[in-house]
Amino acid sequence: MSKIGTQLIRASLALLLLLAAGCSVIRPVPEPVDMLLLSPSAGPAPVLLTQRVTLTGWRQQQQFVAICRFNYDQAKLVALLPTGQQLLYLEFDGEQLEQRNAPSIELPGKDILALIQFALWPDEALQNSYAAEQGWKIEITDKRRQLIHSDSVLLDVVYDGQQISIENYRAGYQVRIETLERKDLVL
């Protein structure tokens, strides 16, 4: 074999080794993950909430009123525009999610309900549902909850009195929820 051929082979091997080493330090882009819908039976004590919700993202801000009814059999949410027009209706019984949107508006109902559940469901329900074996990690303090998947923070929920601020890093928006009225329900 000629000297040039030997040098070419060595250079090619060195390049392959560099590429192989580089691939081991470059982290793959994580695949999108869906948040989980949690069973209503694991939810908070039966309650009816009226909340003002402000959604900020994609260079715009939208405000609406959410009326949520949670009991151990089902979770219901109705979102109304300031004009009173129904924007979204969700009903989840632990098995099936029913969703109705205002005409010509597509909303990710499952993501919306999962986000609300992550903010409002008891700590134990979250820890039992978001399993570490599936890449989930939850950090919970008195004033904050974080949902982490594959070492990336997906949600950051901060509690301040009657207000909840949610940063959804995966989807690139912020939600501010202010509870206007709370009525505990007796079963």
Side-chain angles (χ1 to χ4, degrees), residues 84-131:
Q85 177 186 4
Q86 183 174 304
L87 181 64
L88 173 69
Y89 172 85
L90 296 173
E91 185 175 327
F92 181 61
D93 64 4
E95 301 277 328
Q96 279 194 297
L97 176 64
E98 179 185 338
Q99 176 176 343
R100 292 191 301 267
N101 296 332
S104 74
I105 296 176
E106 267 312 304
L107 294 171
K110 179 180 182 247
D111 289 344
I112 292 168
L113 183 57
L115 183 132
I116 289 170
Q117 288 180 323
F118 186 80
L120 298 179
W121 260 228
D123 298 350
E124 186 178 340
L126 300 178
Q127 292 165 338
N128 290 338
S129 299
Y130 287 96

Side-chain angles (χ1 to χ4, degrees), residues 13-67:
L13 285 172
L15 182 61
L16 285 172
L17 288 172
L18 281 172
L19 286 173
C23 289
S24 66
V25 284
I26 297 173
R27 300 182 99 191
V29 176
E31 291 186 30
V33 292
D34 288 333
M35 291 181 60
L36 307 175
L37 285 180
L38 308 178
S39 171
S41 64
V47 65
L48 179 65
L49 300 170
T50 302
Q51 301 172 314
R52 180 180 14 248
V53 179
T54 305
L55 173 68
T56 305
W58 315 289
R59 297 185 195 162
Q60 51 184 303
Q61 188 175 61
Q62 179 68 46
Q63 197 171 70
F64 56 91
V65 173
I67 301 169

Side-chain angles (χ1 to χ4, degrees), residues 37-187:
L37 285 180
L38 308 178
S39 171
S41 64
V47 65
L48 179 65
L49 300 170
T50 302
Q51 301 172 314
R52 180 180 14 248
V53 179
T54 305
L55 173 68
T56 305
W58 315 289
R59 297 185 195 162
Q60 51 184 303
Q61 188 175 61
Q62 179 68 46
Q63 197 171 70
F64 56 91
V65 173
I67 301 169
C68 306
R69 181 185 172 133
F70 303 121
N71 63 47
Y72 299 125
D73 295 328
Q74 64 185 193
K76 285 185 181 181
L77 176 138
V78 176
L80 305 170
L81 291 172
T83 61
Q85 177 186 4
Q86 183 174 304
L87 181 64
L88 173 69
Y89 172 85
L90 296 173
E91 185 175 327
F92 181 61
D93 64 4
E95 301 277 328
Q96 279 194 297
L97 176 64
E98 179 185 338
Q99 176 176 343
R100 292 191 301 267
N101 296 332
S104 74
I105 296 176
E106 267 312 304
L107 294 171
K110 179 180 182 247
D111 289 344
I112 292 168
L113 183 57
L115 183 132
I116 289 170
Q117 288 180 323
F118 186 80
L120 298 179
W121 260 228
D123 298 350
E124 186 178 340
L126 300 178
Q127 292 165 338
N128 290 338
S129 299
Y130 287 96
E133 301 83 46
Q134 296 168 342
W136 295 106
K137 182 179 175 188
I138 298 173
E139 293 185 2
I140 299 174
T141 65
D142 289 343
K143 300 271 185 190
R144 172 177 251 144
R145 289 181 176 181
Q146 288 187 319
L147 178 62
I148 302 162
H149 190 272
S150 301
D151 295 327
S152 295
V153 177
L154 302 181
L155 282 183
D156 188 19
V157 181
V158 178
Y159 303 91
D160 183 17
Q162 295 297 311
Q163 295 186 357
I164 303 171
S165 297
I166 303 170
E167 180 82 32
N168 187 329
Y169 293 106
R170 180 183 67 148
Y173 64 83
Q174 300 84 37
V175 179
R176 186 166 186 86
I177 302 171
E178 180 184 358
T179 300
L180 303 173
E181 186 178 348
R182 175 190 176 98
K183 182 178 181 188
D184 294 324
L185 302 174
V186 179
L187 292 180

